[in-house]
Amino acid sequence: MILNKITLVCISLGTLSLFSCIGSHVPKEIHLYDSATVVRSTDYKILGKGTGQDSAFYLLGMFPVTKAPNVELAMSQILEKFPTGKTLINIKIQREDKAYFPLGLVTVVNVTADVVGQQEELNQTPQKENK
């Protein structure tokens, strides 16, 4: 009888500790960067601010169902919105974990950045066609 009670208590404590790890909220991580690539000149134009995101799902918070979130994919989503954009500056990368108890955990990577490109030349000469 005492052995059954001890076994029940051990199983209950193990289950509670497992669920407390799965259901816990992981705080956000924020990283700031000046630029995605080296910007050697100051004659660029900020075309706009963009956002991109990627996510992953972990079953029971431990087993990956999808690929890990990719920061480069989120950054490329920003550049796709601005076809003349060359690089990103003032980059903010934010990672957030959202628990969906008891199913799993979704990890989301949000990237916010300014898209820059070259300033348009004012004195463009028209090109002549040779026939």
Side-chain angles (χ1 to χ4, degrees), residues 1-60:
M1 187 70 174
I2 294 176
L3 185 62
N4 288 340
K5 288 183 180 181
I6 292 173
T7 305
L8 182 63
V9 169
C10 289
I11 291 173
S12 298
L13 288 177
T15 305
L16 286 176
S17 66
L18 176 66
F19 285 133
S20 68
C21 292
I22 293 172
S24 64
H25 177 61
V26 178
K28 298 178 184 180
E29 294 179 19
I30 298 176
H31 302 281
L32 302 174
Y33 298 99
D34 291 333
S35 64
T37 59
V38 177
V39 180
R40 298 193 187 274
S41 65
T42 59
D43 62 338
Y44 58 82
K45 179 181 178 185
I46 296 178
L47 303 175
K49 189 176 208 70
T51 59
Q53 73 174 6
D54 194 25
S55 62
F57 178 73
Y58 296 92
L59 186 64
L60 300 176

Side-chain angles (χ1 to χ4, degrees), residues 63-114:
F63 307 108
V65 177
T66 60
K67 292 182 181 178
N70 190 347
V71 174
E72 287 82 17
L73 178 65
M75 293 170 86
S76 68
Q77 287 177 355
I78 298 172
L79 282 173
E80 285 176 0
K81 297 174 187 173
F82 296 91
T84 59
K86 300 294 181 193
T87 190
L88 303 174
I89 61 170
N90 302 327
I91 302 168
K92 181 174 91 171
I93 300 172
Q94 188 174 17
R95 180 177 165 251
E96 181 178 351
D97 292 337
K98 299 177 183 178
Y100 292 97
F101 183 78
L103 292 178
L105 181 74
V106 175
T107 301
V108 180
V109 172
N110 294 312
V111 178
T112 306
D114 293 328

